[in-house]
Amino acid sequence: MGQMFHSADARRLLDDRGYAGPTIHNTNPAYLLETAARDRITESMYWKEQCFAVNEASLLDRAVAMSFIGGTYGQKPTPFLCLTLKLLQLLPGKDIVLEYLHQKDFKYLTALAAFYVRLTFSAVECYQTLEPLLGDYRKLKRRTKDGGYALTYMDQFIDDLLTKDRVCGTSLRKLPQRTVLEDLDQLEVRVSPLGNELDDGDDDNDSGVGQQHEHGQTVVRSAGRDSCVSVSDSD
């Protein structure tokens, strides 16, 4: 009986006809995920078995059990994507989302919260909230479309969220470029955490490119964004 109500609740969430609940970006929150993804999620066993009667607190148990990020693979949605839809159903307060984001013990909970921030927060809030995580070099596993796994890093995932229009098989609202928001005085100019190190590197390298090892990665610094090349798979 509970499963029946759970399914009915999901159908109400996805039925935009006469929808009168809270909106995000002037739309039904569930519609921030594409139709095909929503359908696969609500038909999946994970949604039916693990997302039943979940609230903001019990969602933590599901999130800390995750071991990879990703969208869909072999027509199946990842737990990461299922829990994203559950968050869009629950619409937790920003204080709860930020608590998910900033806790240090569970990196996949941080990634889930970051993805939710990108979907639901304003452009200015996305930059302000996510940019500090560009200094987070923890490893993440990503499930690929063919069912395999790829290695990425938290800072790369955050950079993707801020610069790409499609992440984890999900189309994202296009963010205005950071410089546009700076020109409008909506964002402060971002100061590189490297500080004077960039200037020193320019003096030492005629090519303007320097290298430094950080957290098992070679960080190649150039005039653009830092790029990271893995040199070790150890945690």
Side-chain angles (χ1 to χ4, degrees):
M1 180 66 71
Q3 290 281 359
M4 184 181 301
F5 285 117
H6 178 52
S7 298
D9 189 45
R11 285 194 294 271
R12 283 195 299 272
L13 174 70
L14 300 179
D15 188 355
D16 208 34
R17 294 171 298 178
Y19 178 77
T23 61
I24 299 291
H25 307 313
N26 298 316
T27 191
N28 179 338
Y31 279 57
L32 297 176
L33 296 182
E34 295 165 332
T35 301
R38 298 195 306 265
D39 291 344
R40 289 169 185 165
I41 290 170
T42 55
E43 292 301 319
S44 70
M45 293 304 298
Y46 184 90
W47 175 266
K48 294 175 181 178
E49 295 180 355
Q50 300 297 322
C51 295
F52 171 64
V54 168
N55 57 29
E56 291 93 336
S58 56
L59 182 139
L60 288 174
D61 296 331
R62 310 297 191 272
V64 301
M66 285 193 299
S67 58
F68 53 88
I69 62 173
T72 59
Y73 62 99
Q75 306 299 314
K76 296 180 181 179
T78 60
F80 183 85
L81 204 59
C82 292
L83 292 179
T84 297
L85 181 60
K86 178 52 68 171
L87 280 174
L88 292 171
Q89 185 179 37
L90 294 172
L91 294 179
K94 286 188 177 180
D95 57 333
I96 295 177
V97 175
L98 295 179
E99 185 175 341
Y100 290 165
L101 188 74
H102 295 309
Q103 55 75 37
K104 301 297 185 183
D105 296 323
F106 306 106
K107 59 187 178 182
Y108 290 103
L109 176 58
T110 297
L112 178 66
F115 192 59
Y116 181 80
V117 166
R118 178 63 174 85
L119 285 169
T120 62
F121 282 25
S122 70
V124 170
E125 289 176 319
C126 282
Y127 283 109
Q128 292 173 334
T129 304
L130 297 181
E131 281 181 338
L133 291 171
L134 290 172
D136 186 337
Y137 304 112
R138 287 178 290 178
K139 293 179 181 180
L140 296 172
K141 279 199 304 184
R142 178 175 58 84
R143 197 77 188 256
T144 58
K145 288 182 178 180
D146 61 6
Y149 294 93
L151 177 66
T152 187
Y153 296 85
M154 185 70 76
D155 67 318
Q156 182 61 58
F157 178 62
I158 297 301
D159 187 71
D160 288 346
L161 290 176
L162 292 174
T163 60
K164 294 185 177 180
D165 297 334
R166 190 170 183 83
V167 178
C168 291
T170 302
S171 295
L172 306 174
R173 291 183 310 115
K174 186 174 181 63
L175 286 181
Q177 291 187 353
R178 198 187 199 288
T179 52
V180 172
L181 298 177
E182 291 173 4
D183 291 341
L184 294 172
D185 293 326
Q186 295 182 16
L187 281 177
E188 297 289 335
V189 175
R190 183 170 183 262
V191 178
S192 171
L194 302 177
N196 293 331
E197 186 178 338
L198 279 176
D199 296 331
D200 295 339
D202 289 340
D203 294 337
D204 296 337
N205 298 275
D206 292 337
S207 64
V209 177
Q211 291 189 346
Q212 178 177 337
H213 290 284
E214 291 183 0
H215 299 281
Q217 301 173 63
T218 298
V219 181
V220 182
R221 295 192 171 105
S222 62
R225 178 187 177 273
D226 303 346
S227 60
C228 300
V229 180
S230 173
V231 296
S232 172
D233 284 343
S234 60
D235 288 324

